[in-house]
Amino acid sequence: MAKNGIYRPGDLQAQQEARRKAKGNPNKNVHHKKKNSNYGGFDTQAKKAAERQKAASRSKQPPIPRSAKITLLVLMGALAVLLVLNNTALKGSAVSANIAALLIGALCCYMAYVNYFLRKLRGGIHGVLTVILVVLGAVYALMSLAALAALMG
């Protein structure tokens, strides 16, 4: 492409004009950027619609019911208070330590109940986590009940 003008190194305005021409038209070839453009063809629109559908179908997990949230908060609060007491005022008390373990077991079992029955999270990783919570809760609860029974009699 031949240059139409004579290049003058000292001419600032000519340099700026040359730069502007070299950059080209910024509005050129942006059909694909316009909203609802069919520049990429029908397949592009179908792909975009499928992606939107897929993102919408990838719904969030079902929410925890309000009553379950309150129960979980009460159990966690009681556990926090009991653990603080175990490390301060009731230090060395076997009964309070076993009650805390029983509370941990109850909390694990309740979380499994909420996930499986109230939120209906089944299959895949949710099934594995539910099984782990039930097993941990049962172990904690049974061991603490056995220890409490031994302490009582």
Side-chain angles (χ1 to χ4, degrees):
M1 203 164 167
K3 294 187 178 184
N4 295 334
I6 300 170
Y7 178 68
R8 286 169 264 167
D11 190 6
L12 182 61
Q13 191 173 9
Q15 287 178 356
Q16 288 175 346
E17 182 72 16
R19 283 191 195 116
R20 187 188 64 75
K21 285 183 179 179
K23 287 180 184 175
N25 186 355
N27 299 318
K28 189 171 145 187
N29 294 330
V30 291
H31 306 292
H32 64 285
K33 293 181 183 177
K34 291 182 181 173
K35 187 176 180 183
N36 299 328
S37 171
N38 198 13
Y39 185 72
F42 183 73
D43 292 338
T44 306
Q45 291 297 318
K47 286 178 186 175
K48 286 182 183 178
E51 286 175 7
R52 275 189 246 116
Q53 180 81 16
K54 190 176 180 182
S57 69
R58 223 182 306 141
S59 65
K60 297 177 183 174
Q61 294 179 351
I64 298 175
R66 186 172 176 87
S67 60
K69 281 184 188 178
I70 292 170
T71 307
L72 283 171
L73 285 173
V74 167
L75 283 173
M76 286 185 191
L79 180 64
V81 167
L82 197 55
L83 289 175
V84 167
L85 287 174
N86 274 345
N87 289 325
T88 55
L90 301 174
K91 197 171 200 127
S93 172
V95 174
S96 65
N98 287 318
I99 291 174
L102 182 64
L103 207 54
I104 290 172
L107 190 60
C108 287
C109 289
Y110 188 71
M111 286 193 306
Y113 168 78
V114 167
N115 281 339
Y116 192 77
F117 291 108
L118 300 181
R119 295 176 72 191
K120 296 185 178 27
L121 296 176
R122 297 187 173 112
I125 190 72
H126 297 294
V128 172
L129 290 175
T130 303
V131 168
I132 290 173
L133 280 172
V134 168
V135 169
L136 281 177
V139 167
Y140 265 98
L142 292 175
M143 295 299 284
S144 62
L145 284 174
L148 284 172
L151 288 173
M152 297 297 173

